[in-house]
Amino acid sequence: MLQNWGFWLIVSQFSQVLCNQKGSFKERLDFTPLPKNNLLASFNFEIESDTVNWYDTSSTYSHYTVFPKSLGPILEDTKTRELHLRFSQGWWDSELWGSLPQNGSQSGGTGVEVWAVIEANNKTEAEGEWIHLVNSLSGLFCASLNFIDNVITTNPVHSLQPTSNFINKLPTEGELFLFRSALPREPICTENLTPFLDLLPSKGKNGLSSLLNGHKVYDSQWNSMSIDVETNCDDELNCHYDLKQNIHMIVNTKRVLSKLKNPLPVPTPGNELRCDRTKKHDAYYCFPLVDSTDIKIDMRDIFGNIINGENTVTTEKSKVCAHTAPEVWKVLAKVNDYESVFAYSEVQDPCYEISGTDTLNIELKTDRSDITLPLKEPPITVSRSLTGYSQDSGGLRIDFRNPSETEEVNFIYYQSTPWYMKTYLHTLKMTLTNNTSGESVVIPITDRSIVSYLPEFYYEPMVDRIRPSHLELELVLPPNFSMRLAYKFDKLMLKYAEYPPDANHGFEIEPAIVTVVDKFNKVTYEARTTPALLTLPTPDFSMPYNVIILTSTVMALAFGGIFNLIVKRVVTEEQAEYYYQQNTPKLKLRRLIARISAKFQKKKAD
Ligand SMILES: *[C@@H]1O[C@H](CO)[C@@H](O)[C@H](O)[C@H]1NC(C)=O
Ligand SMILES: *[C@@H]1O[C@H](CO)[C@@H](O)[C@H](O)[C@H]1NC(C)=O
Ligand SMILES: *[C@@H]1O[C@H](CO)[C@@H](O)[C@H](O)[C@H]1NC(C)=O
Ligand SMILES: *[C@@H]1O[C@H](CO)[C@@H](O)[C@H](O)[C@H]1NC(C)=O
Ligand SMILES: CC(=O)N[C@H]1CO[C@H](CO)[C@@H](O)[C@@H]1O
């Protein structure tokens, strides 16, 4: 009987290996020149794991070929079926740069953001796994993700919904839970990039990842690093992990070049100043012109490095592509530092494939950098601000604008605010402005007519030190309209140990998320607001110190006086005089000599 079992086990394992899919690795780099001499560089790495099977405990097959070995066990241990991480810095200026790359699906808000889909039997178990997951990721990515707990975690209901097809295909054993948290205060730096590179099979040694250098990436105007793991299955229910790693960064080319020329900033010498000749100009007056449009920049300038040969692990040849206005931009590929033009004026989006061990450098050259491809307008613009000057209450205002002249926009607004902001949703007011006529109407939340603009909302109020408040609104904004939402909140008092230990300028409120959806509820665009800065009533932390100093001084003075009184004898002036005469130095010396000679005589007598 036992032998039979062994036989079937071998057969089943063998058949499993046969139908397994092999992992793959792809990489690509895109350059897009933007107005005002800015350049968008987008790195894209895609890793597919071999087939995984979590439910089959007899399976000993390991799927770590190109899929990072450091991430796999964490996902399996915590039963994480989908994981998303964002590390971002700076602010995306949509007026200047248009819509976010990849429709915003790979960009985060300032700081660190993480969300995951976890399979578990019940919510308590899932919460435990979530804390386990963020603690493991904290060690892996050198970020303070271990500070994430239930107090700052929410379970989004409309936003950030899972995208893996696993959810529809494979009947799961447990239930699926979605958790999300953000750390807007977290600074992003080089130590977050190294773990990112370690996840790649090339480890930053060759291929496109050899270009990624922390000093250059984090010196950009805006940058966003994303890591997304999805579980996808084919029709035979063979499932695998899809890992997508992206870095998007905006480089101001003029700034980069001038920094290379003068590492220490110096004023532009007089003969290099470009003055507006239509205005007054002489040795003392100069109205500077905008930057010149003549530009020549290559990879060595932008990344401090060039591509160090092909990456042999990739399943497809790595590509470098440029999205430029072909009439004015010239894209040159320099193989082993020999020039060869690969962009012709007919080619809209030229791509260069990396092959062999030769080094590759790409150069972008133009004398009209103001001519770029037309920018794509984002479907919605959003800005959020705190209002009110009061010590213990304030208001939050969110402005949306629909830039489209013909289409209405459906979107979901997600916001999680910390427990010390006690929000009053009944004070929510919506102001709708017809941008054509300039008329506006104010609709309070108690008014029934708000339903045509706010069909659905989800709100979970905060609980002191237990959970944040969680707001999700489904909104509709007609064309040529702008909308303002405003509501009030109270600032709660913190315990003294809950204040940050260091000097700080306030409490960051994490960015809100705006998700634009189409008629079929499919996500078409995603954007985040900037973080808000909240100042809470702060006690004077220097007071205990002042009190200690003052009491110590009083104690010292009191001690001195009392000590003198206790130890010293009070005598009259005559007594003191008498005592002094008895103790003149001459008399003292004589007494001493007498005592010594007495001792000597005693010795002789012995
Ligand atoms: C971004 O969204 C637009 C409109 O929904 C769509 O046409 C386009 O293909 C999307 N781009 C990407 C990269 O997904
Ligand atoms: C949740 O599931 C775990 C493991 O299955 C079990 O031990 C625990 O009692 C359950 N908790 C609740 C509240 O049902
Ligand atoms: C939006 O405004 C533009 C320009 O003012 C106008 O041409 C267009 O008809 C307006 N659209 C709607 C739906 O009112
Ligand atoms: C907005 O104002 C314009 C101009 O007054 C008007 O034609 C249009 O009907 C208004 N739109 C709505 C939805 O009320
Ligand atoms: C009346 C009004 O508010 N008009 C504004 C419509 O929107 C454009 C830009 O989108 C503004 O420039 C107008 O002032």
mmCIF file of all heavy atoms in Angstrom, residues 268-274:
data_model
loop_
_atom_site.group_PDB
_atom_site.id
_atom_site.type_symbol
_atom_site.label_atom_id
_atom_site.label_comp_id
_atom_site.label_asym_id
_atom_site.label_seq_id
_atom_site.Cartn_x
_atom_site.Cartn_y
_atom_site.Cartn_z
ATOM 1 N N THR A 268 26.069 82.558 -12.425
ATOM 2 C CA THR A 268 26.480 82.501 -13.829
ATOM 3 C C THR A 268 27.398 83.689 -14.126
ATOM 4 O O THR A 268 27.061 84.820 -13.792
ATOM 5 C CB THR A 268 25.233 82.587 -14.731
ATOM 6 O OG1 THR A 268 24.232 81.750 -14.160
ATOM 7 C CG2 THR A 268 25.529 82.162 -16.139
ATOM 8 N N PRO A 269 28.550 83.431 -14.735
ATOM 9 C CA PRO A 269 29.427 84.559 -15.078
ATOM 10 C C PRO A 269 28.722 85.513 -16.042
ATOM 11 O O PRO A 269 27.878 85.083 -16.842
ATOM 12 C CB PRO A 269 30.621 83.890 -15.762
ATOM 13 C CG PRO A 269 30.499 82.433 -15.504
ATOM 14 C CD PRO A 269 29.089 82.149 -15.143
ATOM 15 N N GLY A 270 29.086 86.793 -15.968
ATOM 16 C CA GLY A 270 28.412 87.831 -16.753
ATOM 17 C C GLY A 270 28.329 87.526 -18.232
ATOM 18 O O GLY A 270 27.286 87.728 -18.864
ATOM 19 N N ASN A 271 29.417 86.964 -18.801
ATOM 20 C CA ASN A 271 29.407 86.748 -20.249
ATOM 21 C C ASN A 271 28.542 85.561 -20.666
ATOM 22 O O ASN A 271 28.319 85.344 -21.845
ATOM 23 C CB ASN A 271 30.846 86.586 -20.766
ATOM 24 C CG ASN A 271 31.572 85.472 -20.049
ATOM 25 O OD1 ASN A 271 31.096 84.967 -19.024
ATOM 26 N ND2 ASN A 271 32.716 85.067 -20.571
ATOM 27 N N GLU A 272 28.073 84.763 -19.682
ATOM 28 C CA GLU A 272 27.209 83.633 -20.045
ATOM 29 C C GLU A 272 25.739 83.915 -19.761
ATOM 30 O O GLU A 272 24.878 83.090 -20.039
ATOM 31 C CB GLU A 272 27.626 82.366 -19.280
ATOM 32 C CG GLU A 272 28.899 81.749 -19.818
ATOM 33 C CD GLU A 272 29.377 80.585 -18.975
ATOM 34 O OE1 GLU A 272 28.532 79.916 -18.342
ATOM 35 O OE2 GLU A 272 30.595 80.363 -18.938
ATOM 36 N N LEU A 273 25.461 85.083 -19.172
ATOM 37 C CA LEU A 273 24.069 85.425 -18.858
ATOM 38 C C LEU A 273 23.302 85.670 -20.148
ATOM 39 O O LEU A 273 23.812 86.298 -21.070
ATOM 40 C CB LEU A 273 24.026 86.696 -18.015
ATOM 41 C CG LEU A 273 24.016 86.560 -16.501
ATOM 42 C CD1 LEU A 273 23.919 87.938 -15.889
ATOM 43 C CD2 LEU A 273 22.863 85.700 -16.023
ATOM 44 N N ARG A 274 22.085 85.150 -20.208
ATOM 45 C CA ARG A 274 21.235 85.399 -21.368
ATOM 46 C C ARG A 274 20.187 86.416 -20.949
ATOM 47 O O ARG A 274 19.298 86.114 -20.173
ATOM 48 C CB ARG A 274 20.563 84.105 -21.817
ATOM 49 C CG ARG A 274 21.501 83.111 -22.480
ATOM 50 C CD ARG A 274 20.964 81.693 -22.416
ATOM 51 N NE ARG A 274 19.518 81.636 -22.550
ATOM 52 C CZ ARG A 274 18.860 81.622 -23.718
ATOM 53 N NH1 ARG A 274 19.524 81.666 -24.846
ATOM 54 N NH2 ARG A 274 17.554 81.555 -23.739
#
